[in-house]
Amino acid sequence: MKLPSGQQPPTPPAQPASQKPGPTAALEAGREPGASSARQLLDQLQLANRATTLARVAEIMNRPGGNADVLLDIRGKSLLVQAAIGNTELSPGDWVKVMRAGNELQLMGKLAPAPEAGIARALAQRLPWQQTLDTGLAKLMGALTQGLKQDPLPGQLPSARQTQPLPEAARQTIEQLVARLPSGSRPAPGAGATTEPATPQQVRQWLAESGLFAESRLTQAPSAHLPDLKLALGRVITALLAQQGSTPDQFNRLTPISTPELMQAPLQFPQPLATPQAPGDGEPPSVGQMLRLLAGMLNRITVNQLHSQVLTARGGGDAAAPASTLLLDLPWLTPQNEPRLAQVRIEQYPQDSQADRKAPGQTTTEWRLSLTMDLDEAGPLHFDVALRQQAVSARVWAEKQATLRQVNEELPALRQSLTDIGLEVTDLECRRGTPRASVTRLEHRLVDTRA
């Protein structure tokens, strides 16, 4: 097919007899028509003639005559093409194999549905029903002292409900869970130095027990009392159901209590969240309300698990995207024993280009950490840290001017602390404001807008 400018692209070599050439997709040259413009767009993708690559169909805009405008995601870049699709049925989210043929892309075939599609559907089903972990933990900690109200019987007035203590199994699980949470005083400032060798292990433990790896850890070490946030919530649910004489099937039919803020941008990082009530404030919830709250907390952890899998699956074949991504909410306690959240994003990037190779076959991995916290006095803080071998760079974002000034005063001490543990500090700065949030897009056909 001809390019939009009317110029005929170079004729590609003949296909082998065993392969049927698929429909071609001519690049839309936009305001710079011509074969040279199409060639430049393909060259920017570092796609040589006759080379093949995978592309993800982001959007399809059908036109009369069986043609369509197709928006492709190729190697981290969006490319709008004019395609004669023919009998090939394409839908947003499909993965296709394309080959460069001169100044055109030739569709070689559509890949079988990837596991990402099923993961994304499961993710979309849970998005409307998430409860923030700090709010849920505050309610659980309040129940340790206040107990829970009985669910009203038919015809019973709400004021007639009695308060009952937590089942002993639930109480022990919550107490053990709270005891293992990070606190505002642990670790102490500067504890990352070699004088405190236990600090890295402590941080590793907090991440491992965040619930993100619950099923994997349970498979490796089956235990009814494995310390893990998600598994602990499941044990509390089991105890409450046993006290009520209810079954897991009845729990699965409950409507989870959700946090409205999480519905505004459910796949955004970081999430703008409100400060929860202190434990013990307000009326104690009923057993049914607590079960619905726990269901929402489980959904929040599961959403982070599925979201991490979606991002990892999308980045696996894309040189510009991280090879793996982990998203998690890490609860911690203030000195006043009030739960708060640290939102964490960990990304692993392979080497950027051939120039990064130190030797044939050697790879250089870069790790990037994003951490967001909202402190009572300092306000919102966001940390971006990148580590490649022994070189580290960090950027701190603060919304309050007083916090910005204080962080800038502490940067020399931070630089020295990083140097003391053997790291080369390449960049270290603090900025006012917040970084731009990243948002994951799911295909519209996967999201139930009626939920």
Side-chain angles (χ1 to χ4, degrees):
M1 66 186 294
K2 293 184 179 181
L3 291 170
S5 63
Q7 301 184 44
Q8 182 71 29
T11 303
Q15 291 282 341
S18 60
Q19 295 183 350
K20 292 184 178 181
T24 59
L27 289 171
E28 182 177 276
R31 298 183 180 179
E32 301 181 51
S36 60
S37 177
R39 182 175 61 251
Q40 290 173 1
L41 291 174
L42 289 171
D43 289 344
Q44 290 175 5
L45 297 174
Q46 298 181 351
L47 189 63
N49 191 37
R50 309 301 298 167
T52 60
T53 189
L54 296 181
R56 179 175 167 273
V57 179
E59 188 175 355
I60 298 177
M61 295 152 281
N62 292 317
R63 294 188 290 132
N67 294 338
D69 292 335
V70 181
L71 184 64
L72 298 176
D73 288 338
I74 304 179
R75 297 183 174 178
K77 296 183 179 180
S78 296
L79 191 65
L80 185 65
V81 301
Q82 296 174 347
I85 297 177
N87 295 326
T88 304
E89 294 185 4
L90 293 180
S91 301
D94 287 342
W95 284 89
V96 295
K97 184 177 182 179
V98 295
M99 180 184 72
R100 178 174 179 175
N103 293 332
E104 292 184 353
L105 288 177
Q106 189 172 55
L107 178 62
M108 305 301 293
K110 184 173 71 171
L111 275 65
E116 179 195 344
I119 296 172
R121 278 191 291 270
L123 174 57
Q125 291 171 358
R126 289 168 173 81
L127 287 182
W129 312 114
Q130 303 177 76
Q131 175 62 238
T132 54
L133 300 183
D134 51 348
T135 298
L137 284 171
K139 292 293 186 181
L140 287 173
M141 294 170 65
L144 289 174
T145 55
Q146 293 181 313
L148 298 175
K149 288 188 174 182
Q150 295 177 350
D151 289 323
L153 299 174
Q156 184 181 21
L157 295 175
S159 58
R161 293 183 298 170
Q162 300 295 321
T163 300
Q164 59 187 15
L166 286 171
E168 187 59 28
R171 171 181 294 278
Q172 292 180 3
T173 299
I174 296 172
E175 290 175 345
Q176 293 169 1
L177 172 61
V178 172
R180 299 181 72 89
L181 291 178
S183 69
S185 58
R186 189 175 75 240
T194 54
T195 55
E196 296 283 349
T199 300
Q201 288 78 4
Q202 181 71 78
V203 174
R204 189 179 296 113
Q205 172 193 312
W206 290 333
L207 294 175
E209 297 178 3
S210 66
L212 192 69
F213 313 99
E215 291 78 8
S216 174
R217 297 180 67 227
L218 192 60
T219 301
Q220 297 174 8
S223 171
H225 302 285
L226 188 68
D228 181 275
L229 175 57
K230 188 175 184 180
L231 300 179
L233 296 180
R235 292 194 289 270
V236 175
I237 292 170
T238 300
L240 293 178
L241 289 175
Q243 185 186 54
Q244 296 291 100
S246 302
T247 64
D249 287 339
Q250 291 174 302
F251 173 76
N252 292 333
R253 290 195 294 268
L254 295 176
T255 301
I257 297 178
S258 58
T259 301
E261 289 83 1
L262 287 176
M263 277 305 299
Q264 296 175 6
L267 294 179
Q268 173 179 303
F269 180 89
Q271 285 280 352
L273 300 176
T275 302
Q277 288 184 338
D281 287 356
E283 287 287 321
S286 68
V287 176
Q289 290 171 331
M290 180 58 75
L291 287 171
R292 294 173 58 207
L293 191 77
L294 288 165
M297 296 174 70
L298 285 180
N299 272 342
R300 177 57 187 168
I301 298 174
T302 304
V303 163
N304 278 334
Q305 292 176 307
L306 296 172
H307 193 183
S308 298
Q309 292 183 53
V310 166
L311 292 175
T312 300
R314 290 183 180 181
D318 191 343
S324 63
T325 301
L326 296 177
L327 296 171
L328 60 112
D329 293 336
L330 186 63
W332 60 281
L333 298 176
T334 68
Q336 293 75 33
N337 212 36
E338 297 175 354
R340 294 289 187 270
L341 275 187
Q343 300 179 63
V344 182
R345 183 183 184 117
I346 302 174
E347 297 174 322
Q348 179 188 11
Y349 284 81
Q351 62 185 34
D352 293 334
S353 64
Q354 294 293 331
D356 290 332
R357 291 186 182 271
K358 306 296 182 182
Q362 180 178 350
T363 59
T364 303
T365 297
E366 178 175 315
W367 292 92
R368 298 181 189 177
L369 167 70
S370 295
L371 172 67
T372 297
M373 307 174 69
D374 192 349
L375 305 181
D376 291 338
E377 296 183 4
L381 283 170
H382 187 96
F383 303 85
D384 287 322
V385 181
L387 176 67
R388 174 171 292 203
Q389 292 184 324
Q390 299 302 111
V392 64
S393 62
R395 178 177 296 164
V396 184
W397 298 79
E399 290 190 12
K400 292 186 177 181
Q401 183 63 41
T403 304
L404 178 70
R405 181 171 56 252
Q406 182 179 1
V407 173
N408 275 318
E409 293 174 354
E410 296 291 338
L411 285 184
L414 176 59
R415 180 183 294 272
Q416 185 60 49
S417 296
L418 294 172
T419 303
D420 290 344
I421 60 176
L423 296 177
E424 176 190 354
V425 182
T426 60
D427 188 26
L428 195 59
E429 63 173 331
C430 183
R431 293 186 179 183
R432 177 82 182 274
T434 57
R436 187 168 68 176
S438 60
V439 180
T440 302
R441 283 178 18 187
L442 289 183
E443 306 306 329
H444 68 277
R445 61 193 175 99
L446 295 178
V447 180
D448 185 359
T449 57
R450 298 169 297 175

